Amino acid sequence: MRLARAFARSLRSSPWGISDLTGANLPGVRLVRADLTGADLTRANLGGAHLAGVVWSERTRWPTAAWEERMPTASELLPDGRLRSARGAPRAAP
């Protein structure tokens, strides 16, 4: 779990965001305010992950179709066209 916390901190502080998290095992990780713009989260395990404030784009690929459907409704549109998940964003895989 210590490694997952360090990883989440690096996502929040990285000016480049993250691009490939395909199949990543991230249950319960705090991705609060992480930049997932254009990230590929296909088959990633986000069960219980904290996603409040995550910035993402239409190019971001979520783990499942349920995530793809749910994230837009749990997010707000930013002036630059990206989206930010709101408070109460999904914490567990739908």
Side-chain angles (χ1 to χ4, degrees):
M1 188 55 120
R2 198 176 313 171
L3 180 60
R5 285 188 202 124
F7 177 71
R9 276 194 305 277
S10 72
L11 284 177
R12 287 193 298 274
S13 61
S14 171
W16 306 284
I18 245 357
S19 61
D20 189 3
L21 292 170
T22 305
N25 190 25
L26 302 170
V29 73
R30 292 183 54 84
L31 294 174
V32 177
R33 297 184 308 274
D35 184 353
L36 298 178
T37 302
D40 186 350
L41 293 150
T42 306
R43 296 184 318 280
N45 177 0
L46 296 177
H50 300 262
L51 300 174
V54 165
V55 175
W56 60 284
S57 69
E58 290 182 4
R59 293 185 335 263
T60 302
R61 295 294 158 245
W62 295 100
T64 64
W67 276 100
E68 293 277 349
E69 291 175 19
R70 191 169 176 189
M71 285 305 291
T73 62
S75 301
E76 61 186 344
L77 185 62
L78 298 173
D80 64 5
R82 295 182 301 163
L83 298 113
R84 180 175 45 222
S85 63
R87 283 191 168 156
R91 281 189 58 190

